Every structure is written in structure tokens, then in C-alpha cells.
Amino acid sequence: MSIERRDMDDGARRGATALLTRAAAADVCAADRLRGAIDDFFLDEDARLDDRTRLAIAAVLGDLTSGIEVALRRHAARLLSTRDVGALAATLEAELPAILERLISAGLVRDADLMRELLGRVRQDLLSDSLPSEAPEDPDRASLLPRLAQHGDSVVAASAIALLSAESRRRVPLAPGQPNPSDLPAELHHRLVWWIAAALRERFADAAGEALPALDRALAEAALRSIAAHDEGDRLEATALRLAAALDPQANELPGLLTEALADRRLSLFVALLAHALGLDYEDAREVVLDPGAERLWLLLRALELDRQSIARIGLALSDADPRRDIDRFAEALDAIVAVDAIEARHALAPLLLHRDYRAALVALGRKR
């Protein structure tokens, strides 16, 4: 390699320009990394994600985006093939790096609603997997959900079967490269579909050339097809709520169902039973259950007039499953929890019954004082 001084040709000048551009970008990246390190240093320990949760969120987000991306690319390619844009269709079907990195770099997946849903889903799954599995008092008796699937009430049986099916779909990932339903609330699914469609347009715009309008039409039609086909009623959370509504347990039946749902490691049904009993949204009830501090959960259980033994069993099961929970602190607080009057507990929980957007507005307003 020669290092002697010589006149620069056009190639050298272009290389210098590219180097300057990369150096400027590196400055921005370094500043971003510094801000991230500062934020991380000052983050409260309770707010910091553990590695297991972080990896699980990344896996779920990757599955969601890749499933939608595959569906959009395949349908858009099929449309382009029928419209005499075969070369672009073939380009669209080629194996390329997943689109998720582009969504992350654009800051789109920092969306608070999306991350709240993903974090709640992941933490629910991790907690459910960690719940202690209790042996039934009667070894010949089927566990809760399979038993409900054989219930004499056809509505209860159908709802239990639907919940078993929804759990299976969420727990067993499809083969790589297969389109799969996002299993998100409708609004979030719509948002994610349009983000991915826009990112695909950006990726293939240069290859499209003069066929860019055809690419736009195909991607838009593929996105609308995905949105139309999405049924949030098939989501795990929705099926759990339907089963809770079908069971509609009376006050004397609820404690047994709640404790058995945890013993059977059916956390989604446990959350749905609480949500149904107090008229909460599933997401709000899930947030209460997943909170390791659990103060609102104890109030919720007392609002439903659960007895000391039932609260103790629930608290012990959750403490065994979640290392963030202090079992000794719970044991010391049990007398105080049981002493809370049911009417006082319902009054304290009244804000949870407000519309979520209204609550969010009140919280935002409170921060500006």
C-alpha cells in the first residue's frame, strides 16, 4: 500500500466524503450511547429489566414483526405478479434481514402502548411458568382447565377449549418464515402493520424504480388485508375474559377458582377472574397482579372479600414464583391486609375503574404541578 502524497482523483474525493459522513454519524451514535448509559445509571433498580425479561421481550417483538412482515411481503408479491411487475415481486420475496432493526432505529417501537402490552404479556408468561405446581387433593381429578372443557354448560366448555387453544398458539411458535397472527389488541396490530408496510416501502423503493406506485398499492392492499383478517377476540386475554364471564362465579365460588387457577399455573384465568369480578380491563388487572409490591392486589382481594386463607395461598404462590417479592414482608403484613374493610378497599380502588385514557390524563396533569 502506497502512502506517498499524490493528487486526489474523484474516487478518493468520494471516499473522503463518505468517511466524513461516517465520522459525523459516529459522533451522533457516541452521544446516543452516552445518553443511554446515563439513563441506565440513574434508573431505579425496580424499573430495570432483568436479562430474562429483556430477552423475552426481544423474542416476542421479533416474532410479531417477522410474522406481519412475511404476510405483507408474500401478499404484495402475489399482487405484483398479477400486475405484470414480476421482477419486483421476485425481489420482494427474496430472503432479506428482518425489518425490526429499522423500526427500532426509527424509534417506532418505543411506543408506550406497544411496550406496555409486550412487557405485560412477557411478565405474565414468565410468572406463570414459575408458579409452583400443586398436587391436587384428589389425584384422579383433572386439573382446572381440562375439567372446565368437559363442563356440562356448553358455553363454559367452549370458552375453556378456546382458552386452551389460545394458550397453545401463544406458547408454540410457528416455524421461521411462516406468517402468524400478531395476537395484539386491534389498535396496536393496525399500528404495527402500517409501520412495517412503510419500512418495506423504504427498503424496496430503489428496486421498484418507475414501478414505485405499483409497490405502494400492493403494500397498502396487503396491509388492509392483514388488518381486516385480524380478530382480537381470538387473543389469549380475550378468551380468558370470556371464560371468566361464562363461569360468572359467585362470592363463595371465587376464592376456590382463584387459588385453583394459580395452582394449575393458569395465570391468565386468574387475572381474568379478578378483572371480571371488579369490572376492570384485563390489562389493568394484569398490571395489578404483576406488580411485585402487590399493595393494590391485596386491596383488590379484600374488595372481593377473600378470606385470610385464600389471600395467604395466593400471596405464597406469587412469592414463590417471583424473586422480586418479599415473602417475609407479606407474612408480616397479612393481618393488616385481612383487617382492611371490603368497602374501604373498593373505595381505594375506584381510580382503577376510570377510563384508562382519563386516568392517563390525570397522571400526566399531576406530573406538571
Side-chain angles (χ1 to χ4, degrees), residues 3-334:
I3 58 172
E4 293 179 2
R5 180 182 179 89
R6 61 180 180 178
D7 293 336
M8 288 190 297
D9 58 16
D10 289 342
R13 290 192 182 91
R14 285 195 299 271
T17 301
L19 177 59
L20 290 169
T21 301
R22 291 197 301 273
D27 278 347
V28 174
C29 291
D32 288 343
R33 284 195 298 270
L34 177 60
R35 280 195 297 270
I38 293 170
D39 290 342
D40 184 71
F41 179 78
F42 287 104
L43 195 64
D44 288 339
E45 197 61 37
D46 290 343
R48 181 171 282 112
L49 295 179
D50 60 87
D51 290 342
R52 189 180 178 208
T53 303
R54 187 187 303 275
L55 289 172
I57 290 176
V60 171
L61 186 56
D63 288 343
L64 289 174
T65 53
S66 65
I68 293 173
E69 179 187 349
V70 168
L72 294 187
R73 284 172 54 186
R74 287 184 179 176
H75 189 65
R78 186 167 68 83
L79 293 174
L80 290 169
S81 295
T82 63
R83 296 168 184 173
D84 297 326
V85 200
L88 181 56
T91 302
L92 210 60
E93 288 183 314
E95 289 296 326
L96 290 168
I99 213 78
L100 176 58
E101 287 302 319
R102 181 66 186 106
L103 301 184
I104 292 174
S105 68
L108 294 177
V109 293
R110 287 178 174 268
D111 181 89
D113 293 331
L114 176 62
M115 293 309 296
R116 180 177 188 252
E117 174 62 28
L118 296 182
L119 184 58
R121 176 192 296 194
V122 162
R123 282 185 165 158
Q124 175 180 293
D125 289 346
L126 293 176
L127 182 60
S128 184
D129 289 343
S130 301
L131 283 169
S133 183
E134 297 182 16
E137 295 179 4
D138 181 358
D140 295 327
R141 189 186 192 201
S143 58
L144 179 60
L145 213 49
R147 194 170 74 247
L148 292 176
Q150 301 296 324
H151 201 282
D153 186 323
S154 61
V155 176
V156 171
S159 299
I161 292 170
L163 181 53
L164 283 168
S165 177
E167 284 188 344
S168 177
R169 285 196 304 272
R170 181 168 290 181
R171 294 291 189 163
V172 182
L174 296 178
Q178 292 296 313
N180 61 301
S182 75
D183 206 22
L184 286 171
E187 183 178 348
L188 292 180
H189 176 79
H190 299 174
R191 206 175 299 173
L192 198 54
V193 165
W194 288 119
W195 289 345
I196 293 171
L200 288 172
R201 198 258 195 193
E202 178 185 81
R203 172 179 287 180
F204 294 104
D206 288 343
E210 294 181 356
L212 185 57
L215 175 64
D216 283 333
R217 286 196 302 274
L219 287 173
E221 289 178 37
L224 290 171
R225 177 176 180 265
S226 176
I227 289 170
H230 182 70
D231 184 0
E232 66 178 349
D234 290 336
R235 299 176 63 233
L236 173 64
E237 295 77 10
T239 57
L241 279 175
R242 284 200 299 272
L243 177 55
L247 289 167
D248 193 23
Q250 301 305 299
N252 63 322
E253 299 171 319
L254 185 58
L257 278 172
L258 286 172
T259 54
E260 192 173 2
L262 284 185
D264 202 26
R265 302 170 79 182
R266 307 288 181 179
L267 191 60
S268 61
L269 180 56
F270 177 83
V271 172
L273 287 166
L274 292 177
H276 174 74
L278 276 179
L280 298 173
D281 289 341
Y282 183 97
E283 290 75 14
D284 290 331
R286 179 178 64 192
E287 191 172 277
V288 169
V289 171
L290 295 177
D291 180 3
E295 287 83 4
R296 291 177 300 171
L297 176 59
W298 309 141
L299 288 179
L300 198 155
L301 297 180
R302 284 303 299 141
L304 297 172
E305 301 186 49
L306 261 68
D307 59 276
R308 179 191 181 92
Q309 182 180 1
S310 299
I311 294 174
R313 289 184 64 185
I314 291 169
L316 288 173
L318 293 175
S319 296
D320 281 347
D322 189 348
R324 298 176 302 164
R325 299 174 192 254
D326 189 334
I327 192 168
D328 293 329
R329 181 183 173 192
F330 166 67
E332 292 171 0
L334 185 55

